[in-house]
């Protein structure tokens, strides 16, 4: 039996539980709220709200050769170029640097602070970082169970550097995803989820840029479902009146 990845966190008075990779939502005890992310099945579960999002999924069941062949030509070119440039890829190292890089990036983009914690990365994540000439230029965080791997967060130093280094970062970013795909395949996982695909009808240039990056690796646009249930009456009322879905996060 494949076990989902379960994490707990405490925010204010509330104990929040996040479940990744369960086929469908289920109830649990001793918590104020539960959120099931990345579910495959569409179900009407009592008390759960459901949000359906799109993502890009690569099928690894036929090996890496078809994945490589289905990539965009420039994606393969950038991966080969990164290898020629002498990038070193590290796994589960440079966690503190990765977190700081993300903080700096979000500050530069004037985005709200958001980070997976050091404990979460050490306990549940697989972190890939790309190093060139002794400098960590980019990182890619993923999680997995016994069947699936999913990208969670990609960050880089592209806003801190000149054009020549930015070009190197574009090579390194693609190398990291390819390394993660290889890692997933070598662990015997059946699919790799690139971590979301923007499909809203409203144009968003930044999200489309990210879409183009992900499309370069191929994959099929696939629906995944998130289910949320609050057991605390206080939390439930707070979400309704103050939009706490965006203020209290399970991730």
């Amino acid at each position: 039996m494949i076990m989902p990845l379960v994490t707990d966190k405490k925010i204010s008075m509330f104990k929040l539980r996040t479940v990744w990779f369960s086929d469908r939502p289920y109830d649990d005890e001793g918590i104020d709220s539960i959120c099931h992310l990345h579910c495959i099945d569409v179900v009407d579960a009592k008390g759960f709200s459901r949000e359906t999002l799109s993502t890009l999924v690569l099928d690894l069941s036929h090996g890496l050769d078809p994945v490589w062949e289905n990539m965009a030509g420039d994606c393969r070119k950038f991966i080969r170029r990164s290898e020629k440039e002498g990038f070193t890829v590290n796994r589960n190292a440079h966690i503190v640097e990765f977190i700081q890089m993300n903080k700096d990036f979000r500050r530069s983009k004037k985005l709200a602070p958001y980070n997976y914690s050091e404990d979460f990365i050490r306990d549940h994540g697989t972190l890939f970082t790309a190093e060139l000439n002794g400098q960590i230029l980019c990182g890619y965080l993923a999680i997995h169970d016994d069947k699936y791997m999913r990208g969670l967060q990609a960050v880089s130093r592209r806003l801190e550097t000149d054009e020549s280094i930015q070009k190197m970062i574009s090579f390194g970013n693609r190398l990291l995803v390819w390394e993660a795909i290889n890692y997933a395949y070598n662990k015997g996982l059946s699919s790799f989820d690139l971590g979301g695909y923007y499909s809203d009808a409203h144009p968003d240039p930044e999200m489309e840029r990210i879409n183009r990056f992900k499309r370069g690796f191929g994959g099929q646009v696939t629906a995944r479902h998130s289910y949320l249930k609050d057991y605390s009456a206080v939390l439930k009322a707070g979400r309704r009146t103050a939009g706490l879905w965006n203020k209290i996060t399970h991730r």
Side-chain angles (χ1 to χ4, degrees), residues 58-238:
L58 304 174
D59 181 4
L60 305 182
S61 63
H62 301 293
L64 291 174
D65 287 346
V67 176
W68 179 259
E69 291 166 5
N70 287 329
M71 283 187 197
D74 61 345
C75 189
R76 293 194 298 267
K77 178 181 176 182
F78 281 18
I79 292 168
R80 292 192 187 102
R81 179 69 182 273
S82 67
E83 294 167 344
K84 290 180 180 178
E85 293 292 340
F87 274 93
T88 299
V89 175
N90 300 286
R91 180 161 46 86
N92 294 331
H94 309 300
I95 294 174
V96 173
E97 292 93 331
F98 174 80
I99 291 173
Q100 186 60 51
M101 187 162 49
N102 187 47
K103 287 180 179 177
D104 294 342
F105 181 84
R106 297 187 70 83
R107 189 182 302 116
S108 296
K109 295 282 286 184
K110 295 183 171 54
L111 300 172
Y114 185 75
N115 240 323
Y116 289 93
S117 70
E118 187 174 344
D119 286 343
F120 177 90
I121 295 172
R122 291 190 188 280
D123 294 341
H124 306 293
T126 303
L127 177 63
F128 303 86
T129 51
E131 184 176 352
L132 184 65
N133 299 325
Q135 184 180 16
I136 305 301
L137 294 183
C138 44
Y140 188 73
L141 176 63
I143 56 171
H144 68 84
D145 63 0
D146 295 331
K147 191 174 180 181
Y148 311 107
M149 175 170 269
R150 185 185 194 276
L152 285 186
Q153 198 169 56
V155 299
S156 73
R157 299 193 183 279
R158 68 179 176 85
L159 300 180
E160 309 170 29
T161 58
D162 58 31
E163 278 191 28
S164 63
I165 300 299
Q166 288 172 9
K167 193 170 186 179
M168 293 297 106
I169 288 172
S170 69
F171 301 153
N173 283 333
R174 288 162 177 82
L175 176 64
L176 288 183
V177 179
W178 179 235
E179 288 289 327
I181 292 168
N182 276 263
Y183 178 78
Y185 174 74
N186 290 326
K187 288 188 71 68
L189 308 186
S190 62
S191 67
F192 188 94
D193 185 331
L194 286 156
Y197 189 79
Y198 185 73
S199 57
D200 196 294
H202 296 91
D204 186 318
E206 178 66 16
M207 295 306 297
E208 179 52 33
R209 183 188 67 79
I210 296 171
N211 277 359
R212 285 197 300 272
F213 175 87
K214 293 177 179 179
R215 282 198 305 268
F217 292 92
Q220 296 293 320
V221 178
T222 307
R224 288 292 183 262
H225 314 283
S226 296
Y227 295 86
L228 174 70
K229 185 173 184 178
D230 292 327
Y231 300 101
S232 162
V234 174
L235 179 55
K236 189 181 297 185

